[in-house]
Amino acid sequence: MLSTKHLLGIKNLTQKDIELIFKTADNFKEILKRPIKKVPSLRDTTIVNLFYENSTRTRISFELAEKRLGADTINFASGNSSVAKGETLIDTVNNILSMKVDMVVLRHSASGAPHFLSNHINAAIINAGDGTNEHPTQGLLDAYSIREKCKTLKGKKVAIIGDIMHSRVALSNIYCLKKMGAEVTVAGPPTLIPKYIDALGVQVTYNVKEALAWCDVANVLRIQLERQNMPLFSSLREYALFYGIDKKLLDSLQKEIVIMHPGPINRGVELNSDVADSQHSIILNQVENGVAIRMAVLYLLSGKDSI
Ligand code: CP
């Protein structure tokens, strides 16, 4: 059993929780390899996917995970809803819950929205990304993918590279990897790395080549221009020149490293196609693992006791 009723972030998960999620995801991954990729574990459960912000991977992955578990699913996109008429988050959710919905998956542009909701409603909430705070299922699937590729997380050196400041993926990765015994360095331009991030037990460098030379795994993050209210570097061209990763840079390291990216990629900015699509990349494995991880989270939070 998980130590929490909701998945609001990785900050409050225990190492035991994460191990249980990974073990459960291993079982679901096995099921997903079968010709019939479905189990009836959540057949009496109704889940709403509430997306107040754009998404491709997370939304489809949650919906697929729910369908693979036999749940009834409802998809809500704020753009074509009564949110446009001024309805509040709590009113929207309470109206949906009154239709006998059991679980809520929420993506919201406001940091803390799922935490706020958890104090006002009586259903399990799963944070599918809140502002610049956390994206816990992404952190879990990233760590799970490293564990799968490198056999263990303990002692593995992971560099998180790019726009750390605006990234909810960075924070969830740091919490998850540190809890599981990995070493973490964050790298990027000084203006995109929060002050005092070293308080989370990570090392900091402003030199991407140095981070790559140090690490076993590089998780490269998207430059989040939509979250930058003022310019924090002079141009995308300059960013690509000093902080972008291409094959030439990887070849100069004379060692193998694993390349990850949560998506969507700005090709030619933080990552060149000759790296994103290379044999070093496990980007699509991350996406594949997302379904098993989300099945595990949904199943464990549902309180059911047999797969
Ligand atoms: N990784 C991720 O959250 O992607 P989406 O925004 O497409 O869901």
Side-chain angles (χ1 to χ4, degrees):
M1 223 173 114
L2 293 177
S3 67
T4 173
K5 178 182 168 196
H6 310 285
L7 179 63
L8 302 178
I10 298 196
K11 187 177 182 182
N12 297 322
L13 289 185
T14 63
Q15 185 186 353
K16 228 170 126 190
D17 287 331
I18 297 169
E19 278 163 3
L20 177 60
I21 292 168
F22 286 178
K23 198 166 151 246
T24 311
D26 287 340
N27 291 333
F28 284 128
K29 208 171 161 178
E30 190 52 44
I31 289 164
L32 291 173
K33 287 183 191 147
R34 295 181 192 165
I36 296 169
K37 301 171 179 55
K38 244 179 137 153
V39 282
S41 312
L42 297 191
R43 77 180 150 200
D44 55 352
T45 304
T46 305
I47 304 170
V48 62
N49 301 312
L50 277 173
F51 278 69
Y52 281 74
E53 213 189 47
N54 294 344
S55 169
T56 298
R57 279 146 291 271
T58 313
R59 191 177 56 76
I60 291 174
S61 183
F62 266 112
E63 190 179 348
L64 202 51
E66 291 152 9
K67 290 194 156 119
R68 300 289 192 228
L69 290 166
D72 290 324
T73 66
I74 306 159
N75 292 314
F76 167 97
S78 61
N80 57 8
S81 73
S82 289
V83 171
K85 300 175 195 164
E87 191 164 44
T88 66
L89 176 61
I90 292 181
D91 277 345
T92 300
V93 176
N94 272 331
N95 275 273
I96 293 169
L97 292 182
S98 69
M99 295 182 236
K100 311 292 174 220
V101 169
D102 305 293
M103 298 174 89
V104 176
V105 174
L106 176 68
R107 169 168 288 195
H108 205 286
S109 56
S111 300
H115 309 67
F116 168 76
L117 204 56
S118 71
N119 291 325
H120 291 91
I121 66 162
N122 197 24
I125 298 171
I126 298 162
N127 180 0
D130 64 320
T132 56
N133 180 39
E134 280 218 50
H135 190 347
T137 54
Q138 183 73 46
L140 288 164
L141 75 89
D142 287 347
Y144 183 82
S145 301
I146 297 171
R147 168 187 174 264
E148 182 178 70
K149 180 77 181 171
C150 303
K151 311 295 175 224
T152 179
L153 285 162
K154 205 163 174 53
K156 287 292 155 209
K157 293 177 176 166
V158 182
I160 304 175
I161 297 174
D163 185 356
I164 312 296
M165 176 85 83
H166 302 98
S167 174
R168 51 195 174 212
V169 176
L171 203 52
S172 286
N173 262 263
I174 292 168
Y175 287 135
C176 196
L177 293 167
K178 295 290 298 174
K179 283 174 199 273
M180 299 307 285
E183 289 180 53
V184 180
T185 289
V186 296
T191 49
L192 293 182
I193 297 193
K195 283 180 197 164
Y196 315 119
I197 195 159
D198 50 347
L200 296 176
V202 301
Q203 300 173 76
V204 178
T205 175
Y206 306 124
N207 183 324
V208 167
K209 188 164 181 184
E210 190 181 291
L212 292 173
W214 170 83
C215 72
D216 304 305
V217 178
N219 197 354
V220 186
L221 303 182
R222 185 169 68 89
I223 290 293
Q224 306 213 20
L225 290 171
E226 76 277 19
R227 293 190 199 282
Q228 295 181 19
N229 298 325
M230 64 175 95
L232 293 167
F233 50 89
S234 27
S235 68
L236 286 177
R237 238 176 103 190
E238 190 183 278
Y239 183 89
L241 195 63
F242 290 102
Y243 301 100
I245 298 173
D246 61 11
K247 184 172 182 301
K248 197 170 150 214
L249 178 56
L250 284 196
D251 287 347
S252 75
L253 303 172
Q254 297 183 326
K255 66 166 199 175
E256 294 280 309
I257 60 172
V258 177
I259 297 288
M260 304 173 68
H261 193 299
I265 304 170
N266 294 308
R267 285 180 183 260
V269 181
E270 66 263 2
L271 210 53
N272 257 27
S273 291
D274 58 10
V275 175
D277 306 328
S278 71
Q279 82 281 3
H280 300 286
S281 163
I282 60 163
I283 293 170
L284 294 180
N285 305 76
Q286 291 172 256
V287 179
E288 183 186 341
N289 286 334
V291 179
I293 283 289
R294 290 179 175 116
M295 286 173 81
V297 166
L298 290 162
Y299 171 74
L300 290 166
L301 288 178
S302 75
K304 310 281 183 214
D305 55 12
S306 71
I307 290 177

